[in-house]
Amino acid sequence: MIVRKWLENQCNGKYWKDYLKTYGYSEIAIYGAGELGRYLVMELQSSEIKVIVYVDRNANELNEVLHIPVITLDEFISIFGNKVDALIVTATSADREVLREIACRVPDLPVMSLRDMIFEM
């Protein structure tokens, strides 16, 4: 469902780089180094939007994906919590839970669900 809507958006000329630029985001982090997180990085590679880091529960096993470091949520909060413009949660199975946790721990950081954003575009 999400990938289909993503492709539909692209066919209609709606791209992540433009959406993120509208909100003034130039450096982001992505929660979830799985399929959707990787697709997002691949789409943004040819843009001025820079993906600084992935945040993932399996960071110790992944280390790096598409030349981008993968770290735990605790590491992200201590290192990058105030150094990125936004965090996009691509882990759809747990996005509401993750959104709440991050919003409590880093209240000044915009945290958004890819699922919600893709239908807003």
Short mmCIF file of all heavy atoms in Angstrom, two decimals, residues 6 10 13-26 28 40 43-50 88 117 121:
data_model
loop_
_atom_site.label_atom_id
_atom_site.label_comp_id
_atom_site.label_asym_id
_atom_site.label_seq_id
_atom_site.Cartn_x
_atom_site.Cartn_y
_atom_site.Cartn_z
N TRP A 6 3.64 5.63 -2.97
CA TRP A 6 4.92 6.27 -3.27
C TRP A 6 5.11 6.37 -4.79
O TRP A 6 5.45 7.42 -5.31
CB TRP A 6 6.02 5.43 -2.64
CG TRP A 6 7.39 6.03 -2.58
CD1 TRP A 6 7.97 6.89 -3.46
CD2 TRP A 6 8.37 5.77 -1.58
NE1 TRP A 6 9.25 7.17 -3.07
CE2 TRP A 6 9.52 6.50 -1.92
CE3 TRP A 6 8.38 4.98 -0.44
CZ2 TRP A 6 10.68 6.45 -1.15
CZ3 TRP A 6 9.54 4.94 0.32
CH2 TRP A 6 10.66 5.68 -0.03
N GLN A 10 5.26 9.66 -7.33
CA GLN A 10 6.32 9.93 -8.30
C GLN A 10 5.75 10.14 -9.70
O GLN A 10 6.20 11.03 -10.41
CB GLN A 10 7.34 8.79 -8.30
CG GLN A 10 8.22 8.77 -7.09
CD GLN A 10 9.23 7.64 -7.12
OE1 GLN A 10 9.04 6.63 -7.81
NE2 GLN A 10 10.30 7.79 -6.37
N GLY A 13 4.68 13.56 -10.14
CA GLY A 13 5.70 14.59 -9.96
C GLY A 13 5.90 15.02 -8.52
O GLY A 13 6.42 16.11 -8.26
N LYS A 14 5.53 14.17 -7.57
CA LYS A 14 5.69 14.48 -6.14
C LYS A 14 6.86 13.67 -5.60
O LYS A 14 6.80 12.45 -5.53
CB LYS A 14 4.42 14.16 -5.37
CG LYS A 14 3.22 14.96 -5.84
CD LYS A 14 1.97 14.50 -5.11
CE LYS A 14 0.74 15.24 -5.60
NZ LYS A 14 -0.47 14.75 -4.94
N TYR A 15 7.92 14.38 -5.22
CA TYR A 15 9.13 13.72 -4.77
C TYR A 15 9.48 14.13 -3.35
O TYR A 15 9.17 15.24 -2.92
CB TYR A 15 10.30 14.04 -5.71
CG TYR A 15 10.06 13.57 -7.12
CD1 TYR A 15 9.58 14.44 -8.08
CD2 TYR A 15 10.26 12.24 -7.45
CE1 TYR A 15 9.34 14.00 -9.38
CE2 TYR A 15 10.03 11.79 -8.74
CZ TYR A 15 9.55 12.68 -9.69
OH TYR A 15 9.30 12.23 -10.96
N TRP A 16 10.18 13.23 -2.65
CA TRP A 16 10.57 13.50 -1.26
C TRP A 16 11.42 14.75 -1.13
O TRP A 16 11.26 15.51 -0.19
CB TRP A 16 11.31 12.29 -0.68
CG TRP A 16 10.38 11.17 -0.37
CD1 TRP A 16 10.30 9.96 -1.01
CD2 TRP A 16 9.38 11.15 0.64
NE1 TRP A 16 9.30 9.21 -0.45
CE2 TRP A 16 8.73 9.90 0.56
CE3 TRP A 16 8.97 12.06 1.60
CZ2 TRP A 16 7.69 9.54 1.42
CZ3 TRP A 16 7.93 11.70 2.46
CH2 TRP A 16 7.30 10.46 2.35
N LYS A 17 12.34 14.98 -2.06
CA LYS A 17 13.23 16.14 -1.95
C LYS A 17 12.42 17.43 -1.91
O LYS A 17 12.73 18.34 -1.15
CB LYS A 17 14.25 16.16 -3.09
CG LYS A 17 13.63 16.31 -4.45
CD LYS A 17 14.67 16.32 -5.56
CE LYS A 17 13.93 16.43 -6.87
NZ LYS A 17 14.52 17.27 -7.82
N ASP A 18 11.38 17.52 -2.72
CA ASP A 18 10.55 18.72 -2.74
C ASP A 18 9.72 18.84 -1.47
O ASP A 18 9.58 19.93 -0.90
CB ASP A 18 9.64 18.72 -3.97
CG ASP A 18 10.42 18.65 -5.26
OD1 ASP A 18 11.49 19.29 -5.34
OD2 ASP A 18 9.98 17.95 -6.18
N TYR A 19 9.16 17.74 -1.04
CA TYR A 19 8.35 17.73 0.18
C TYR A 19 9.18 18.18 1.38
O TYR A 19 8.78 19.04 2.15
CB TYR A 19 7.79 16.33 0.40
CG TYR A 19 6.93 16.19 1.63
CD1 TYR A 19 5.58 16.48 1.58
CD2 TYR A 19 7.47 15.76 2.82
CE1 TYR A 19 4.78 16.35 2.72
CE2 TYR A 19 6.70 15.62 3.96
CZ TYR A 19 5.35 15.92 3.90
OH TYR A 19 4.57 15.79 5.03
N LEU A 20 10.37 17.59 1.53
CA LEU A 20 11.23 17.92 2.67
C LEU A 20 11.75 19.36 2.58
O LEU A 20 11.86 20.04 3.60
CB LEU A 20 12.37 16.92 2.77
CG LEU A 20 11.94 15.48 3.07
CD1 LEU A 20 13.10 14.52 2.91
CD2 LEU A 20 11.32 15.38 4.45
N LYS A 21 12.06 19.80 1.39
CA LYS A 21 12.53 21.16 1.20
C LYS A 21 11.46 22.18 1.59
O LYS A 21 11.76 23.23 2.14
CB LYS A 21 12.96 21.38 -0.26
CG LYS A 21 13.72 22.69 -0.46
CD LYS A 21 14.00 22.99 -1.92
CE LYS A 21 14.86 21.94 -2.55
NZ LYS A 21 15.20 22.27 -3.96
N THR A 22 10.20 21.85 1.32
CA THR A 22 9.09 22.73 1.69
C THR A 22 9.10 23.05 3.18
O THR A 22 8.77 24.15 3.61
CB THR A 22 7.74 22.07 1.32
OG1 THR A 22 7.71 21.86 -0.08
CG2 THR A 22 6.56 22.92 1.73
N TYR A 23 9.49 22.08 3.99
CA TYR A 23 9.54 22.25 5.44
C TYR A 23 10.90 22.75 5.93
O TYR A 23 11.11 22.90 7.13
CB TYR A 23 9.17 20.95 6.14
CG TYR A 23 7.71 20.62 5.97
CD1 TYR A 23 7.29 19.75 4.97
CD2 TYR A 23 6.74 21.21 6.79
CE1 TYR A 23 5.95 19.46 4.80
CE2 TYR A 23 5.40 20.92 6.62
CZ TYR A 23 5.01 20.06 5.62
OH TYR A 23 3.67 19.78 5.44
N GLY A 24 11.82 22.99 5.01
CA GLY A 24 13.14 23.50 5.38
C GLY A 24 14.09 22.45 5.90
O GLY A 24 15.08 22.77 6.55
N TYR A 25 13.83 21.18 5.61
CA TYR A 25 14.69 20.10 6.08
C TYR A 25 15.79 19.83 5.05
O TYR A 25 15.51 19.56 3.89
CB TYR A 25 13.90 18.81 6.30
CG TYR A 25 12.76 18.95 7.30
CD1 TYR A 25 11.59 18.24 7.14
CD2 TYR A 25 12.86 19.80 8.39
CE1 TYR A 25 10.55 18.34 8.05
CE2 TYR A 25 11.83 19.92 9.31
CZ TYR A 25 10.68 19.18 9.12
OH TYR A 25 9.65 19.29 10.03
N SER A 26 17.04 19.90 5.49
CA SER A 26 18.15 19.59 4.59
C SER A 26 19.01 18.45 5.11
O SER A 26 19.71 17.80 4.34
CB SER A 26 19.01 20.83 4.36
OG SER A 26 19.53 21.30 5.58
N ILE A 28 18.54 15.01 7.51
CA ILE A 28 17.57 14.20 8.22
C ILE A 28 18.19 12.90 8.71
O ILE A 28 19.25 12.49 8.26
CB ILE A 28 16.34 13.88 7.34
CG1 ILE A 28 16.75 13.02 6.14
CG2 ILE A 28 15.63 15.15 6.91
CD1 ILE A 28 15.58 12.39 5.40
N LEU A 40 14.00 5.36 0.57
CA LEU A 40 14.02 6.80 0.82
C LEU A 40 15.43 7.36 0.60
O LEU A 40 15.60 8.38 -0.07
CB LEU A 40 13.52 7.11 2.23
CG LEU A 40 13.44 8.58 2.63
CD1 LEU A 40 12.58 9.38 1.65
CD2 LEU A 40 12.89 8.70 4.05
N GLU A 43 16.17 7.51 -3.15
CA GLU A 43 15.52 8.62 -3.84
C GLU A 43 16.19 9.95 -3.51
O GLU A 43 16.30 10.83 -4.36
CB GLU A 43 14.03 8.70 -3.49
CG GLU A 43 13.34 9.81 -4.26
CD GLU A 43 11.84 9.86 -4.09
OE1 GLU A 43 11.21 8.80 -3.93
OE2 GLU A 43 11.30 10.98 -4.12
N LEU A 44 16.66 10.11 -2.29
CA LEU A 44 17.25 11.38 -1.88
C LEU A 44 18.72 11.53 -2.29
O LEU A 44 19.28 12.63 -2.21
CB LEU A 44 17.12 11.56 -0.37
CG LEU A 44 15.70 11.74 0.15
CD1 LEU A 44 15.68 11.74 1.67
CD2 LEU A 44 15.08 13.02 -0.41
N GLN A 45 19.37 10.46 -2.74
CA GLN A 45 20.80 10.53 -3.07
C GLN A 45 21.13 11.58 -4.13
O GLN A 45 22.19 12.16 -4.10
CB GLN A 45 21.30 9.16 -3.53
CG GLN A 45 21.56 8.23 -2.38
CD GLN A 45 22.02 6.85 -2.84
OE1 GLN A 45 21.75 6.42 -3.95
NE2 GLN A 45 22.73 6.16 -1.96
N SER A 46 20.23 11.81 -5.04
CA SER A 46 20.51 12.78 -6.11
C SER A 46 19.94 14.16 -5.78
O SER A 46 19.78 14.98 -6.68
CB SER A 46 19.92 12.28 -7.43
OG SER A 46 18.52 12.17 -7.32
N SER A 47 19.70 14.41 -4.52
CA SER A 47 19.14 15.71 -4.11
C SER A 47 20.08 16.39 -3.12
O SER A 47 21.10 15.84 -2.72
CB SER A 47 17.77 15.51 -3.46
OG SER A 47 17.90 15.01 -2.15
N GLU A 48 19.68 17.58 -2.70
CA GLU A 48 20.46 18.31 -1.71
C GLU A 48 20.08 17.91 -0.28
O GLU A 48 20.70 18.37 0.68
CB GLU A 48 20.32 19.82 -1.90
CG GLU A 48 18.92 20.35 -1.77
CD GLU A 48 18.08 20.19 -3.04
OE1 GLU A 48 18.57 19.73 -4.08
OE2 GLU A 48 16.89 20.54 -2.97
N ILE A 49 19.10 17.04 -0.13
CA ILE A 49 18.72 16.53 1.20
C ILE A 49 19.74 15.46 1.59
O ILE A 49 19.95 14.49 0.85
CB ILE A 49 17.30 15.93 1.20
CG1 ILE A 49 16.27 16.90 0.62
CG2 ILE A 49 16.93 15.47 2.61
CD1 ILE A 49 16.03 18.14 1.42
N LYS A 50 20.33 15.62 2.75
CA LYS A 50 21.36 14.68 3.20
C LYS A 50 20.82 13.81 4.33
O LYS A 50 20.31 14.32 5.32
CB LYS A 50 22.59 15.45 3.68
CG LYS A 50 23.74 14.56 4.06
CD LYS A 50 24.98 15.33 4.39
CE LYS A 50 26.10 14.36 4.73
NZ LYS A 50 27.29 15.03 5.17
N ILE A 88 12.59 10.77 10.25
CA ILE A 88 11.47 10.15 9.54
C ILE A 88 11.43 8.68 9.93
O ILE A 88 12.41 7.96 9.75
CB ILE A 88 11.61 10.31 8.02
CG1 ILE A 88 11.61 11.79 7.65
CG2 ILE A 88 10.49 9.56 7.31
CD1 ILE A 88 11.91 12.08 6.21
N MET A 117 3.21 10.87 5.97
CA MET A 117 3.76 11.83 5.03
C MET A 117 3.43 11.48 3.59
O MET A 117 3.13 12.34 2.78
CB MET A 117 5.29 11.95 5.20
CG MET A 117 5.71 12.51 6.54
SD MET A 117 7.47 12.25 6.86
CE MET A 117 8.22 13.20 5.56
N MET A 121 1.53 14.09 0.84
CA MET A 121 2.26 14.70 -0.28
C MET A 121 1.34 15.19 -1.39
O MET A 121 0.42 14.78 -1.81
CB MET A 121 3.26 13.72 -0.88
CG MET A 121 4.44 13.47 0.03
SD MET A 121 5.59 12.25 -0.63
CE MET A 121 6.47 13.20 -1.83
#
